[in-house]
Amino acid sequence: MLFASMEIDDQGGWFDTLHSDEPEKWQDALLWLKNSVIGNNKQKQNAINHGIIPRLLQWLVDGDAPQHLRLEAAIIMGSMAKGTAENINTLVEEGCVSVLLKGLKSPDQAFVESCLRCLRTIFLHNSNCGSLIYQEPSIVEDLVEIMPRSVCTQECVANILASSCKEPEHQSKLCECGLIPKLVDLLAGKVYKVQMPVLKCLAGIVRENGENCVVALTAMHNNVPLPDMLVQLMLRDRTSEMQIVAAKVLAYLCGGGALAPQDPRIISKTLPCLIRMCSRDRTLEENVEGAETLAYLLEQDGELQRVAAVSDHIIKTLAEYLKYTDVQQINRCGKRIDINWGIEMKQAAFKAFAALGANEESIRKQVIETEHLMEYVVVGLNSGNMKVAAAAIRCLHSLSRSVQLLRTTIQDHGVWKPLMKIIQEGPEELLPVASSTLCNLLLEFSPSKECILDCGAISVLVNLAARPEPNLRLNGIWGLMNLTFQVEQKVKTKVVESIGTERLFRLLSDPDANIVMKTLGLLRNLLSNKLHIDHIMGMYGNQIMQAVVFILEGEHPIQVKEQTLCILANVADGDKAKDLIMGNEDMLKKLMNYMQYQPDVSLQIAAVACISNLIWSGEDGACARQAKLSEMGVQTLLQKLLSTTDTVLFEKVRTAVQQFS
């Protein structure tokens, strides 16, 4: 430690020596630099100010330089990386990552490990570096090949890869390199500092990736499958950190379809572990991670939701999350975490509540009875914090699936106001879930519907229906469909005028079948009530009939054609509108063809319903319409269809036959 005691006034000479052409002095200068920067951020910054990073990089890239100098340079670079965030950013900007990655090809194991230590530190603290390992195909392969060599390489490579797995392309590349079986082998090694980054790496590889989940499910060590190994890592004698990451991997395997929700390793092991992590005796960090992972696990399965709802007072426990304000906490390493835990706890609770109430009305009732929950949701919507607002919307979206809550609690708290503000003013990232929630608030039995309508809902939804993103187009047209159900004629007219027939019919040729279905649902709602049908068809009849022909003659799914025939049945219910069908012999023949469509009875039912409306006795002109259709063979077709074994079709046919008599 001789060199570390030298006065700052003498440092300039050492820096000059490092930049000089006197190789015999470099070793001593590097030793001085190494000792001076260890644990001293001021000295690190001083070295950076003296331009030492480019000089160190020169030694690292110079394959002809003495290996002991290259090793010292790598060690010093690793020490520099343990400085401030600004120090790390400087290293990245100077291009040290690519240089260190090239250093991994060295036959010198000590040099390779020094490069890896520096890379590990950089990747753990700079999230922008992850993509750099995918710039050349050989880099990931080299890392995977190096990983098993020593405890140091295992720990460093696992951390680097865990920090670099952010996109589906990254997941695929890592899996293709055979990483998963290698990670499973390391997991069995029982070296804690290796196991933890290995678990995090596995979590990153399998999250929302069904193919990788299948690979992970079949991976094993000494005939012990990975899921069974993970169950052992969730035992109570393991650290909380290990338990929760192991549970996260299992939750992701379940979410990816590799493990069934009712698998004992999920419902009897993973679920209790995550609920345990939400308890008050855990750190706030574990509370947040536990609740977020619990939300992910519960989201798609009603049985897991039912079991969770009655486990360890989870709803009351999560309710306590909402009471947290900003607090500081010491993390597992003894450092103060500069995080607003009030925000983190609230958003985690909202996500968990959303997942718990996704399917069961009884659970939604328990959730809504949480003291002041809706007040917290409204505050969350108005918070201006993206994470809290997004989670609050998810919670509201889940609760808004309840007819009773739409009519009572949700209406009482006027949640539509902040929701509409978010949709109209942003942020853009919240639009998908916010607009999806709006669709529920526009259902016919929602008291908020009229208020939202007065607040400009039509223009908001029309704009969404014109968006390039399929999910926003879907929500826009879905909202318009809900909004037009059993409303006044003036509202329907305003909707048609706002969206325009050209855009409306363009949506009927959308590549997304769900959008086509909701557009047909909108048309069906517009064409309900005899007066409304005649009014709309009087203005847009020709365009609507063209759209019907377009769908019926095209290659569309059965459900799309069924919805189209239902629209035609609505048109046939209008007093004047039915003439547009009767005057189109080609359309009548299409109806007759669908009456005989054996592959799917739903199309027969819809076609017969349309015919029944056309010939309904007692209406003006019914006799003439009956005569024309009878002459075309419709009555004979109906008589044949009386032999059907489908009860719904039989009733429709019998009703139609009675009109002729």
Side-chain angles (χ1 to χ4, degrees), residues 354 374 377 381 389-402 406 410 415-420 422-423 430-443 446 448-449 452 461 464 471-472 474-476 478-479 482:
M374 288 310 298
V377 169
L381 293 174
I393 295 171
R394 280 178 60 177
C395 184
L396 177 60
H397 183 247
S398 178
L399 297 174
S400 68
R401 295 183 177 126
S402 165
L406 278 175
I410 291 176
V415 294
W416 63 269
K417 296 176 183 177
L419 186 69
M420 282 294 287
I422 288 171
I423 293 173
L430 299 182
L431 256 184
V433 66
S435 56
S436 183
T437 306
L438 181 64
C439 291
N440 287 351
L441 298 185
L442 288 169
L443 288 167
S446 169
S448 303
K449 183 174 180 176
I452 298 171
L461 295 169
L464 285 173
N471 60 334
L472 295 181
L474 176 62
N475 288 345
W478 199 331
N482 289 350

Side-chain angles (χ1 to χ4, degrees), residues 291-453:
E292 289 180 336
T293 309
L294 179 66
Y296 179 89
L297 179 64
L298 298 181
E299 204 163 20
Q300 303 298 328
D301 189 77
E303 179 61 24
L304 286 179
Q305 292 159 15
R306 285 188 286 274
V307 173
V310 295
S311 300
D312 202 20
H313 308 289
I314 186 63
I315 293 177
K316 289 184 178 179
T317 300
L318 292 169
E320 293 298 312
Y321 282 34
L322 300 173
K323 300 176 183 178
Y324 274 87
T325 54
D326 187 16
V327 294
Q328 291 290 342
Q329 191 184 33
I330 305 301
N331 72 2
R332 301 181 184 101
C333 300
K335 294 182 179 180
R336 197 178 80 163
I337 307 172
D338 189 20
I339 295 176
N340 187 323
W341 287 106
I343 285 175
E344 293 300 320
M345 294 288 277
K346 286 182 179 67
Q347 63 88 25
F350 285 142
K351 287 177 182 176
F353 281 141
L356 278 165
N359 293 294
E360 289 282 329
E361 182 70 15
S362 59
I363 300 177
R364 291 190 199 110
K365 188 174 184 297
Q366 292 180 61
V367 170
I368 205 69
E369 288 173 354
T370 298
E371 188 178 8
H372 304 306
L373 174 63
M374 288 310 298
E375 285 92 336
Y376 283 118
V377 169
V378 172
V379 171
L381 293 174
N382 286 314
S383 69
N385 180 277
M386 179 87 74
K387 288 180 74 172
V388 173
I393 295 171
R394 280 178 60 177
C395 184
L396 177 60
H397 183 247
S398 178
L399 297 174
S400 68
R401 295 183 177 126
S402 165
V403 175
Q404 181 183 358
L405 296 181
L406 278 175
R407 286 175 171 163
T408 55
T409 311
I410 291 176
Q411 169 64 11
D412 294 342
H413 288 83
V415 294
W416 63 269
K417 296 176 183 177
L419 186 69
M420 282 294 287
K421 184 178 180 181
I422 288 171
I423 293 173
Q424 290 172 319
E425 300 178 10
E428 184 83 4
E429 292 85 349
L430 299 182
L431 256 184
V433 66
S435 56
S436 183
T437 306
L438 181 64
C439 291
N440 287 351
L441 298 185
L442 288 169
L443 288 167
E444 178 261 340
F445 42 74
S446 169
S448 303
K449 183 174 180 176
E450 289 298 324
C451 300
I452 298 171
L453 191 56

Side-chain angles (χ1 to χ4, degrees), residues 427-607:
E428 184 83 4
E429 292 85 349
L430 299 182
L431 256 184
V433 66
S435 56
S436 183
T437 306
L438 181 64
C439 291
N440 287 351
L441 298 185
L442 288 169
L443 288 167
E444 178 261 340
F445 42 74
S446 169
S448 303
K449 183 174 180 176
E450 289 298 324
C451 300
I452 298 171
L453 191 56
D454 293 338
C455 196
I458 293 176
S459 62
V460 166
L461 295 169
V462 167
N463 289 334
L464 285 173
R467 292 289 295 256
E469 302 90 343
N471 60 334
L472 295 181
R473 284 203 308 281
L474 176 62
N475 288 345
I477 205 69
W478 199 331
L480 288 170
M481 183 188 77
N482 289 350
L483 185 148
T484 53
F485 183 75
Q486 294 185 355
V487 293
E488 298 175 342
Q489 180 177 302
K490 64 179 182 181
V491 176
K492 294 182 179 181
T493 302
K494 185 175 181 180
V495 168
V496 177
E497 290 174 348
S498 298
I499 195 168
T501 54
E502 182 179 348
R503 185 187 301 170
L504 184 62
F505 299 130
R506 194 185 307 135
L507 288 167
L508 290 173
S509 57
D510 196 283
D512 189 322
N514 288 324
I515 292 174
V516 175
M517 283 292 289
K518 298 307 175 189
T519 306
L520 291 169
L522 169 59
L523 279 172
R524 192 172 175 180
N525 286 347
L526 290 171
L527 296 168
S528 60
N529 183 305
K530 285 182 179 291
L531 292 177
H532 297 178
I533 293 169
D534 287 333
H535 178 76
I536 297 289
M537 292 301 291
M539 294 189 296
Y540 308 106
N542 290 333
Q543 296 98 313
I544 290 173
M545 293 303 290
Q546 287 174 11
V548 168
V549 171
F550 170 76
I551 297 290
L552 294 180
E553 291 184 348
E555 295 293 329
H556 294 282
I558 294 295
Q559 62 267 30
V560 170
K561 294 198 173 188
E562 179 193 12
Q563 188 82 316
T564 306
L565 288 170
C566 289
I567 289 172
L568 207 56
N570 282 13
V571 173
D573 194 40
D575 290 332
K576 298 178 181 178
K578 56 169 54 80
D579 293 340
L580 288 166
I581 301 176
M582 291 302 301
N584 188 333
E585 194 163 316
D586 184 57
M587 181 63 73
L588 294 174
K589 289 179 180 178
K590 282 184 172 59
L591 284 171
M592 293 174 67
N593 288 335
Y594 281 112
M595 287 171 66
Q596 305 171 78
Y597 191 78
Q598 296 294 332
D600 197 290
V601 71
S602 64
L603 298 185
Q604 293 180 280
I605 292 170

Side-chain angles (χ1 to χ4, degrees), residues 52-96:
I52 201 62
I53 302 302
R55 185 67 181 108
L56 293 174
L57 291 176
Q58 286 176 1
W59 276 308
L60 289 175
V61 299
D62 186 0
D64 296 327
Q67 189 59 27
H68 65 277
L69 295 182
R70 300 182 73 211
L71 177 59
E72 292 295 343
I75 294 171
I76 293 168
M77 194 71 80
S79 181
M80 300 291 287
K82 292 181 179 178
T84 64
E86 290 75 17
N87 295 159
I88 294 175
N89 291 338
T90 300
L91 297 184
V92 174
E93 291 165 3
E94 293 284 355
C96 75

Side-chain angles (χ1 to χ4, degrees), residues 77-245:
M77 194 71 80
S79 181
M80 300 291 287
K82 292 181 179 178
T84 64
E86 290 75 17
N87 295 159
I88 294 175
N89 291 338
T90 300
L91 297 184
V92 174
E93 291 165 3
E94 293 284 355
C96 75
V97 173
S98 59
V99 172
L100 291 166
L101 287 171
K102 287 185 175 70
L104 301 182
K105 294 183 179 295
S106 170
D108 184 341
Q109 180 68 8
F111 180 72
V112 168
E113 290 183 358
S114 295
C115 290
L116 282 173
R117 288 190 189 97
C118 185
L119 286 167
R120 172 203 57 196
T121 304
I122 292 172
F123 276 64
L124 285 175
H125 295 90
N126 190 313
S127 58
N128 297 322
C129 292
S131 60
L132 297 177
I133 70 169
Y134 303 99
Q135 290 182 345
E136 295 179 23
S138 63
I139 295 176
V140 172
E141 295 167 4
D142 289 343
L143 286 167
V144 174
E145 188 275 326
I146 290 169
M147 185 170 64
R149 292 182 186 175
S150 68
V151 170
C152 174
T153 59
Q154 292 167 14
E155 184 254 326
C156 290
V157 172
N159 269 306
I160 291 167
L161 296 180
S163 302
S164 304
C165 190
K166 305 294 184 185
E167 306 290 340
E169 296 78 13
H170 301 165
Q171 294 175 313
S172 299
K173 177 62 178 175
L174 295 176
C175 190
E176 289 166 6
C177 289
L179 179 62
I180 291 177
K182 291 182 182 291
L183 291 174
V184 173
D185 288 338
L186 296 183
L187 199 60
K190 304 189 186 307
V191 179
Y192 185 80
K193 68 176 183 179
V194 173
Q195 287 178 308
M196 285 312 303
V198 163
L199 284 170
K200 292 173 183 177
C201 193
L202 281 169
I205 293 174
V206 301
R207 181 182 172 90
E208 297 180 355
N209 190 311
E211 292 182 4
N212 288 5
C213 283
V214 172
V215 175
L217 181 68
T218 57
M220 58 179 65
H221 178 82
N222 289 343
N223 294 322
V224 179
L226 172 61
D228 291 352
M229 296 170 65
L230 294 169
V231 168
Q232 292 301 308
L233 299 180
M234 289 192 296
L235 295 177
R236 290 173 185 259
D237 62 347
R238 307 289 179 153
T239 66
S240 294
E241 183 184 25
M242 177 171 280
Q243 290 179 51
I244 199 167
V245 184

